[in-house]
Amino acid sequence: MKHDARAGEGVLYQLKTHGPQTAAQAARRLGVTAMAVRQHLYRLRLSGLVEFTDERRKLGRPARVWKLTSAAAGRFPDSHGDLTVEIIAAVRATFGEAGMDKLVRERTRRQLEEYRARLRPAGTSIAKRALLLAKVRREQGYMAECARMPDGSMLLAENHCPICAAASACQGLCREELALFRAVLGDKARVERTDHILAGARRCAYRITTPG
């Protein structure tokens, strides 16, 4: 039974980190049979954690594509969401928006200090700094990945947001996060947010380029 639970968590993790996919695609990544993955998917569907759509293909039968439901978010770590939202509301009520902005800026200042120290071994290479930044964010629960794209840019993808509840209550956290990445990667890097969880995307993603 414990093995089934672990295998089911593995399927959820694949959907979280790689987005909607067929049972066959998940099976290849997990190194198991598609039949085994389907069994877990239908079990997870009964629990309300996954759902599917049948997509038409040019040839053959429609492909059954699976994705996580909003209820599955609770299976991934959140940094004490309810308490954080309450604290944000209290700060805003006591100190106003100016006080809230000051608090967020101070958090960013501390993060910048920490990240610069962690990224120092990467030197001036933007690619190496981006990879090391992804490692730091992964350690902090963001399920971050970074890869070089065919056009030479780097894509930093965060498949989970452990402060999503707080970010929903305080939009400044997301704004400062983008500024943080730009500051820590250096003046020679251009950082654009291409996907945003709060805008309805399944992940947050950032395209990192070096101006010509």
Side-chain angles (χ1 to χ4, degrees):
M1 200 69 179
K2 288 183 179 179
H3 174 73
D4 284 348
R6 284 197 300 270
E9 291 295 328
V11 173
L12 287 175
Y13 182 82
Q14 288 300 317
L15 292 175
K16 181 69 172 173
T17 55
H18 295 284
Q21 57 195 286
T22 65
Q25 288 171 323
R28 282 196 294 273
R29 293 189 173 106
L30 290 167
V32 298
T33 66
M35 179 62 71
V37 170
R38 286 190 191 95
Q39 291 174 351
H40 289 298
L41 285 168
Y42 283 110
R43 200 172 294 132
L44 292 166
R45 182 171 179 252
L46 291 175
S47 301
L49 299 174
V50 300
E51 59 188 6
F52 66 81
T53 55
D54 288 328
E55 295 185 357
R56 288 185 172 277
R57 299 293 166 92
K58 290 182 179 179
L59 298 173
R61 295 182 299 175
R64 179 151 292 182
V65 178
W66 294 85
K67 66 178 182 178
L68 298 178
T69 65
S70 56
R75 302 296 286 268
F76 300 92
D78 193 333
S79 297
H80 310 292
D82 292 340
L83 175 61
T84 306
V85 170
E86 288 178 15
I87 292 173
I88 287 172
V91 169
R92 187 172 275 132
T94 306
F95 302 105
E97 286 299 329
M100 191 72 246
D101 288 344
K102 187 175 181 180
L103 179 67
V104 171
R105 285 196 300 271
E106 174 60 17
R107 174 180 182 267
T108 302
R109 186 193 68 77
R110 290 169 180 253
Q111 283 183 298
L112 182 56
E113 195 174 90
E114 176 198 353
Y115 284 20
R116 278 178 171 161
R118 295 287 304 274
L119 268 61
R120 199 166 288 129
T124 59
S125 167
I126 292 175
K128 289 180 180 178
R129 294 178 74 81
L131 289 168
L132 198 47
L133 175 60
K135 180 178 184 292
V136 173
R137 299 288 284 183
R138 192 158 54 246
E139 291 172 0
Q140 295 177 342
Y142 288 85
M143 293 187 182
E145 303 170 325
C146 188
R148 187 178 292 279
M149 306 306 290
D151 64 359
S153 66
M154 302 293 289
L155 183 70
L156 171 64
E158 297 185 335
N159 296 293
H160 179 62
C161 178
I163 63 162
C164 194
S168 298
C170 178
Q171 299 291 319
L173 288 170
C174 285
R175 181 182 64 247
E176 287 292 315
E177 195 165 72
L178 180 57
L180 172 67
F181 290 172
R182 286 171 173 164
V184 80
L185 289 172
D187 295 338
K188 293 182 179 179
R190 178 181 291 143
V191 185
E192 304 169 89
R193 182 185 280 128
T194 58
D195 297 86
H196 195 192
I197 290 174
L198 292 188
R202 72 167 184 86
R203 66 180 185 178
C204 287
Y206 303 84
R207 184 170 179 263
I208 303 164
T209 57
T210 304

